[in-house]
Amino acid sequence: MYLEHIAPDEQHAELDAPFTIGDVDFCITECGYSTAEDNQLLTPQLMKMGGPTLSKALACLFNASWSTGFVPDSWKVAKSLPLPKGHGAPPSSPDSFRVISITSIVARCMERLVGWRLMKHLEHSGFLLLSQFGFR
């Protein structure tokens, strides 16, 4: 297996690195204004207006969560909304809908950061084949 050839302290170096303010800034920048809002007071627009002060605070929060493994309960709560699947589906049938879950915008930002980090690690480690292009 790939990880057997790496010293233990090197196995997770890039995965365990702290999130930077730049990482958080990029995540906030990538968060579109059309992003669904949650029940929290922080909206995508407010996150973008928060500037370096908010990015620094979020980086500290994300790093504390990452290093301790603690995820705030408010990040685990979602608002579920049924959306119609499309044309021709009878609106009276539950099968005509798909459910989306809207979580906290802060939680979604953390999820993106973790996802990007894992994807980078998987691509650089050779776990994902170049021929795999769907669901990347």
Side-chain angles (χ1 to χ4, degrees):
M1 180 178 220
Y2 169 78
L3 295 177
E4 293 171 355
H5 303 292
I6 301 175
D9 59 338
E10 296 176 12
Q11 283 184 5
H12 304 291
E14 70 179 27
L15 293 175
D16 290 336
F19 295 106
T20 66
I21 295 170
D23 294 336
V24 176
D25 280 338
F26 184 72
C27 185
I28 291 172
T29 302
E30 291 295 304
C31 177
Y33 281 108
S34 63
T35 299
E37 294 180 15
D38 54 27
N39 292 330
Q40 308 296 318
L41 297 175
L42 193 58
T43 65
Q45 294 85 352
L46 286 174
M47 282 185 69
K48 289 183 182 195
M49 292 185 328
T53 303
L54 180 60
S55 294
K56 183 176 180 180
L58 287 174
C60 289
L61 179 65
F62 294 158
N63 285 321
S65 177
W66 187 252
S67 64
T68 63
F70 176 77
V71 178
D73 289 337
S74 63
W75 291 6
K76 301 175 193 175
V77 176
K79 179 171 57 173
S80 297
L81 297 173
L83 294 180
K85 286 185 177 176
H87 302 293
S92 59
S93 171
D95 292 336
S96 300
F97 295 87
R98 62 184 178 91
V99 178
I100 62 165
S101 297
I102 300 173
T103 56
S104 159
I105 188 128
V106 175
R108 282 182 273 162
C109 189
M110 176 75 174
E111 288 173 6
R112 280 191 179 137
L113 290 172
V114 171
W116 290 335
R117 180 172 285 185
L118 288 173
M119 186 59 74
K120 180 180 175 183
H121 174 73
L122 293 172
E123 287 175 346
H124 287 109
S125 300
F127 283 106
L128 297 178
L129 301 175
L130 292 176
S131 59
Q132 179 181 352
F133 56 89
F135 299 101
R136 273 193 130 168

